[in-house]
Structures are given as structure tokens and as C-alpha cells.
Amino acid sequence: MTPSLKYVMSHAVLLLATASAQFPSSCPAIPASAANSTLGTCPNDFTIIGPSLEPVHESSSPPTGLAIDPKLNLYLTYPRNSGPTPNNVVICTSFTGEKPWPSAEIQNCTSGQNASTCFINVQNVVLDSVNQLWVVDSGIPPGAKSAVEYGAKIMSFSLDGALLRTYIIPSSLYYDNMNSNDVRINNTLGTKGYAFVTDESDAGSILSIDLDTGYANRRLFNTTYTRADPGYVGVYNGQTIYTWNGTRKSFITTGSDGIALASGNVYWGVLGSRRFYYISQAAIVNRSLSDSDVVKYVQDPGQCGTEQAGFTADDKGRVYILASEHNAIFYVDTLQSQVNLTVNGVQPGSTNPLEPVKAENYIVRDYVRNALIQHADSAAIWDGWMYFCTNQLELSPSRQYNNVDARRGPFRSYRVWVGAGPAV
Ligand SMILES: *[C@@H]1O[C@H](CO)[C@@H](O)[C@H](O)[C@H]1NC(C)=O
Ligand SMILES: *[C@@H]1O[C@H](CO)[C@@H](O)[C@H](O)[C@H]1NC(C)=O
Ligand SMILES: *[C@@H]1O[C@H](CO)[C@@H](O)[C@H](O)[C@H]1NC(C)=O
Ligand SMILES: *[C@@H]1O[C@H](CO)[C@@H](O)[C@H](O)[C@H]1NC(C)=O
Ligand SMILES: *[C@@H]1O[C@H](CO)[C@@H](O)[C@H](O)[C@H]1NC(C)=O
Ligand SMILES: *[C@@H]1O[C@H](CO)[C@@H](O)[C@H](O)[C@H]1NC(C)=O
Ligand SMILES: *[C@@H]1O[C@H](CO)[C@@H](O)[C@H](O)[C@H]1NC(C)=O
Ligand SMILES: *[C@@H]1O[C@H](CO)[C@@H](O)[C@H](O)[C@H]1NC(C)=O
């Protein structure tokens, strides 16, 4: 052993002894703001960010979709992607109480029933800006790969549960396992508004539906903007997540999933990735553009730093991204008037309330981070509050080694103050 190495080793032992003597056995109450505090004082020092959460409902099984109406009724969806659920869409009657909505009969199609008239596999329920509630049905029965005829659809209802209109996605658009997952409505675009639907199939796409004529258009099919990253591995509660069939490993291939409308654009994320994009609503509904023309309108503001299954937006052009990898909800301001940082030389604020932030100046930031947020999946804003459901998706059998179900309910929905109204 050379003298210098001997010195280094004894020095290391000394450091170890000193360190263990000083390491706190319980966590000292040094405020993080104290000048002498360091980062990582205690093993469980994870920074909690943002306002506190208020629980609004507790579900015994994991919900994916959520809406809130002007009377503060909460609606949840229990999709059938991994098996039958008794009720597909419910209205909450108390903190733990639920009843089928709009009726018990519509929850299950009976054999021979036209699938346009009943729920096959509703993924989300959404309020529009004229107090109509919309459901989006993938039309894909449990265990099947493709939608049944007339099954893939969106349906609008009045607040008292009366069916207003059904828009069937034609089976000519079912190619490559189209899987309609989420929907948002712009009631003022075109003559009677448009619906925008994400297709979370492996290839992915974004559909628009003209609410006047019912014409449905499938765009951005199997583009980099809708398809998962090859070999994507996400993180949940600090642990890596693969997909598993027993002990056989594979990767999440879910495409375009969460969606929001803001500032005249459609915003969406690709679930099996940390990527999000936006496109002008006018461009994606324009039937005279070719598919390759439409692709040119896609804006790429850079990655959002998280896998994400849900988006929502407020009436100040702020888009919220449900950041499942970080027990968090992120946001990005899309209107320059709301920006409060100088970015790339552009000063905060704007005298023009409609001036968009340029894609290269988008900054995705934390709104709230809290261990209670266990895969926030869908969110909706009403009267200053953002409501969201959680479902621990990454702990479900298909994402756990040997297909163990590591989810532990109840599954809570919360609200958090955002001080704004809904975008649509
Ligand atoms: C750190 O500063 C606080 C006051 O901010 C003081 O009470 C505490 O004793 C200091 N701790 C150490 C280890 O110096
Ligand atoms: C729907 O069908 C399932 C059986 O698959 C049943 O358990 C459930 O009660 C039915 N739901 C309603 C609301 O009738
Ligand atoms: C099912 O409903 C759709 C939409 O109303 C209709 O076009 C179709 O003809 C119906 N199919 C059958 C077999 O009744
Ligand atoms: C989607 O594009 C990828 C890459 O070009 C290709 O490998 C794949 O076969 C395409 N999928 C479909 C359904 O067209
Ligand atoms: C899982 O693997 C088994 C055989 O190893 C196969 O029969 C089954 O189809 C696979 N399941 C899925 C969902 O791929
Ligand atoms: C809805 O469409 C109108 C008309 O094009 C547009 O001005 C508005 O910004 C859109 N709404 C949202 C939330 O994007
Ligand atoms: C649709 O796109 C065409 C071709 O770029 C353009 O001429 C037309 O103005 C667009 N229509 C609308 C309503 O924006
Ligand atoms: C900018 O906005 C963020 C989020 O609302 C807030 O935390 C921060 O304090 C604001 N900064 C300034 C300089 O106003």
C-alpha cells in the first residue's frame, strides 16, 4: 500500500465516523428557508409544491374520467379496458356514494342492441361551454382490439341526463385499432362547434368532428406527434415502469391521449413519452388540407418532462399537464399576457390579451406537487377550482412484474385552487 493511498483510506474512515456521529436520527426542524439549511436534510425531504388539495370523492375502483357541472355535481367514468365494470359512467351522490348516469339501462349494451345507443367502453365525460355533458366511447369491448360497429362515438347530454345527439365515428376510420380516448368541445368554432378526440392506439391520431354535419376527420395518423417513443420507460413514485405479461417485459406503446383546447389550439400529449404538441384548431379541421399539409401546422414546444395521461386548460390560456411521473400537475402559459418571466429576451406580459407565446418560449412549470397525487388522470376546471381524479395506473397489473395488482384504494379525487374558469 502506498503511503498516499493509506492516507486516503484513513481519512475516509475518519470522515465516515464523523458523518455517522452527526447524521440526525430524527429529522431536525430546520426550515428549508434557513441560511444554513441544505438540500436533502432528511430521507423523506421531498419538496411539496403549491396549494393544498381538498378531497372531493373516494372511489373503491379506479376512475379515469371526470367532469364537474355548474351545480358542482361530480361525474366519473370507469372504463372497461381491462374487464367489465358494473357502471361505466356515474354521478357522485356523496363523498363515497355514486349512481349510474344518465341511467342504469344505458350502462350495458344488451345482445343485439345497436351499439350507438348504449355504453360499450366510455373513457371520459366532459362539460362544454353551453352546459352540455359529452361522453367519449372507444366502442372497444373488454378483451377486443377494435371498436364494434356504431360503438365508437361521442354523445351529448343535457345536465338532467337527456340524450341530445350522438355522433358516430364511421367504421371507415377504425383502421389500425383506432381507440378514441378523450374529447374536448369548442362550441364556437365553425357553424355549430367541433369536437376534438385523441386516439390512443399505438399509431395514434387526432380526430375532429363537425358538430353541425357530423363529419369526422382522422388526422396525424401514425406520425411522430401521436406515436409513443420506442422502448419508452416511465417512472412512478420513484420506480421504473415497464409493461409485463407475467415475466415477459415490453414497453408502453400508448399514443396520443390527454387533450385540451386553449387559445384556438388543440394541445395533446403522447402517453408513452414525455412529449406534447399543439396545432391550430382551424388547421386540423380544414378539409382542404392534405395529411402532409396538416403535419406542417404542428408546433413542438419541446418536451414536458413527464409521461402524462390528462390535460386541461383555463380561461387565461393556461394549459395544465397531469404529470404522472412526479406526483404533480405542471402548467404552461400559452398567452403572453399571463407570462411573468423574461424568456429568450421576451419581456413578461403583453398589452394584447390574445398574443400567443411562441413555441420556443414555452416554459413548462410546476403548479402543484404532492404525494396525494397518485396518477392524476383527468381534470376539469370550474369556478376557480381544478378537480381531478387519481387512479394509480402505473401500479395496475399490466404495468407490474408478474401482473401483480399493486394499486391500493380507495382512489381519491381532489380539487385544488387555480383561480380561473374553464377554457371551454
Ligand atoms: C441554523 O440556523 C438556525 C436559524 O436560522 C439556528 O437556529 C440553528 O441553530 C442553525 N443550525 C446549525 C446547525 O447551525
Ligand atoms: C352491467 O353488466 C354487469 C355484468 O357484466 C352487471 O354486473 C352490472 O350490474 C350491469 N350494470 C347495470 C347498471 O345494470
Ligand atoms: C344503428 O344505428 C345507426 C345510427 O343511428 C344506424 O345508422 C344503423 O342503421 C343502425 N343499425 C342497425 C342494424 O339498426
Ligand atoms: C407506423 O409507422 C411506423 C414507423 O414508420 C411503422 O413501423 C408502422 O408499421 C406504422 N404503423 C401503422 C399502423 O401504419
Ligand atoms: C401473454 O403471454 C401468453 C403466453 O406466454 C399469451 O398466450 C398471451 O396472449 C399473452 N397476453 C398478452 C396480453 O399479450
Ligand atoms: C374556439 O374557437 C374560436 C373560434 O375559432 C376561437 O376564437 C377560440 O379561441 C376557441 N377556443 C379555445 C378554447 O381554443
Ligand atoms: C383551408 O386551407 C386552405 C388551403 O391552405 C386555405 O386556402 C383556406 O383558407 C383554409 N380554410 C380556412 C377556413 O381556414
Ligand atoms: C410568476 O408566477 C408563478 C406562478 O403563478 C409564481 O409562483 C411566481 O411567484 C410569479 N413570479 C413573479 C415574479 O410574479
Side-chain angles (χ1 to χ4, degrees):
M1 193 180 277
T2 65
S4 64
L5 189 53
K6 201 169 162 187
Y7 167 78
V8 167
M9 285 199 61
S10 62
H11 196 67
V13 168
L14 184 70
L15 274 177
L16 256 177
T18 321
S20 55
Q22 286 187 350
F23 195 80
S25 55
S26 67
C27 285
I30 304 177
S33 56
N36 59 7
S37 80
T38 182
L39 289 177
T41 315
C42 294
N44 60 355
D45 270 353
F46 291 100
T47 313
I48 297 167
I49 297 169
S52 57
L53 309 180
E54 291 184 12
V56 294
H57 190 75
E58 214 169 75
S59 304
S60 53
S61 42
T64 63
L66 172 145
I68 181 88
D69 79 11
K71 294 179 211 152
L72 303 188
N73 289 307
L74 196 66
Y75 304 80
L76 295 170
T77 63
Y78 296 101
R80 295 158 170 168
N81 301 18
S82 49
T85 54
N87 291 315
N88 204 173
V89 184
V90 301
I91 184 168
C92 300
T93 52
S94 68
F95 189 62
T96 52
E98 302 174 350
K99 69 173 189 197
W101 185 91
S103 68
E105 299 69 49
I106 201 171
Q107 304 295 325
N108 290 314
C109 297
T110 55
S111 87
Q113 187 175 355
N114 192 318
S116 68
T117 62
C118 45
F119 296 164
I120 303 277
N121 192 350
V122 172
Q123 303 288 315
N124 200 6
V125 53
V126 168
L127 183 76
D128 70 10
S129 57
V130 295
N131 290 345
Q132 302 174 132
L133 284 157
W134 294 78
V135 302
V136 55
D137 191 339
S138 72
I140 305 178
K145 282 202 151 50
S146 193
V148 298
E149 188 155 40
Y150 310 120
K153 59 190 178 285
I154 58 172
M155 303 167 101
S156 58
F157 296 89
S158 63
L159 293 182
D160 59 14
L163 175 64
L164 300 173
R165 190 164 166 183
T166 301
Y167 297 85
I168 298 169
I169 301 173
S171 54
S172 57
L173 299 184
Y174 283 10
Y175 52 88
D176 295 299
N177 303 326
M178 184 202 73
N179 190 346
S180 33
N181 178 258
D182 208 348
V183 66
R184 292 295 182 277
I185 310 294
N186 184 338
N187 298 98
T188 59
L189 183 66
T191 45
K192 287 195 178 155
Y194 275 84
F196 297 90
V197 176
T198 46
D199 152 31
E200 64 159 13
S201 65
D202 290 358
S205 65
I206 310 287
L207 289 91
S208 64
I209 301 170
D210 182 338
L211 299 181
D212 188 359
T213 64
Y215 178 80
N217 203 349
R218 193 175 175 195
R219 295 293 206 174
L220 303 174
F221 169 71
N222 201 33
T223 54
T224 176
Y225 308 116
T226 56
R227 211 170 48 215
D229 289 345
Y232 178 75
V233 180
V235 170
Y236 188 70
N237 288 341
Q239 294 181 316
T240 48
I241 302 293
Y242 297 85
T243 48
W244 293 98
N245 182 356
T247 59
R248 185 164 292 274
K249 180 192 84 174
S250 56
F251 301 99
I252 291 161
T253 54
T254 312
S256 32
D257 195 284
I259 185 168
L261 306 181
S263 308
N265 297 316
V266 184
Y267 290 80
W268 74 95
V270 177
L271 191 146
S273 83
R274 300 186 177 107
R275 294 179 284 117
F276 79 120
Y277 301 99
Y278 64 98
I279 190 169
S280 133
Q281 292 164 21
I284 201 166
V285 306
N286 188 332
R287 290 171 67 171
S288 32
L289 297 175
S290 67
D291 282 337
S292 53
D293 284 339
V294 170
V295 166
K296 293 179 197 146
Y297 286 87
V298 176
Q299 298 282 317
D300 178 358
Q303 300 199 359
C304 56
T306 185
E307 185 178 321
Q308 18 62 39
F311 283 56
T312 194
D314 71 19
D315 57 4
K316 299 174 181 171
R318 181 170 282 189
V319 174
Y320 295 88
I321 302 173
L322 306 184
S324 56
E325 292 194 80
H326 306 278
N327 308 97
I329 296 175
F330 292 170
Y331 73 91
V332 59
D333 284 315
T334 71
L335 291 176
Q336 186 60 36
S337 57
Q338 301 301 311
V339 169
N340 73 359
L341 292 176
T342 298
V343 178
N344 297 333
V346 179
Q347 299 292 315
S350 171
T351 51
N352 172 4
L354 294 180
E355 183 189 339
V357 177
K358 291 199 175 76
E360 65 262 32
N361 297 335
Y362 272 42
I363 308 291
V364 177
R365 305 170 80 181
D366 281 86
Y367 188 73
V368 56
R369 180 194 192 217
N370 190 310
L372 297 175
I373 306 178
Q374 292 291 329
H375 189 105
D377 202 315
S378 290
I381 295 174
W382 187 260
D383 211 9
W385 296 90
M386 174 164 49
Y387 295 76
F388 59 92
C389 61
T390 68
N391 62 25
Q392 306 174 24
L393 176 71
E394 286 81 353
L395 302 180
S396 61
S398 67
R399 285 164 160 84
Q400 292 290 308
Y401 186 72
N402 260 329
N403 305 123
V404 169
D405 188 352
R407 294 172 294 190
R408 272 187 280 149
F411 302 89
R412 296 196 185 88
S413 297
Y414 298 94
R415 68 175 193 174
V416 62
W417 181 253
V418 295
V424 288

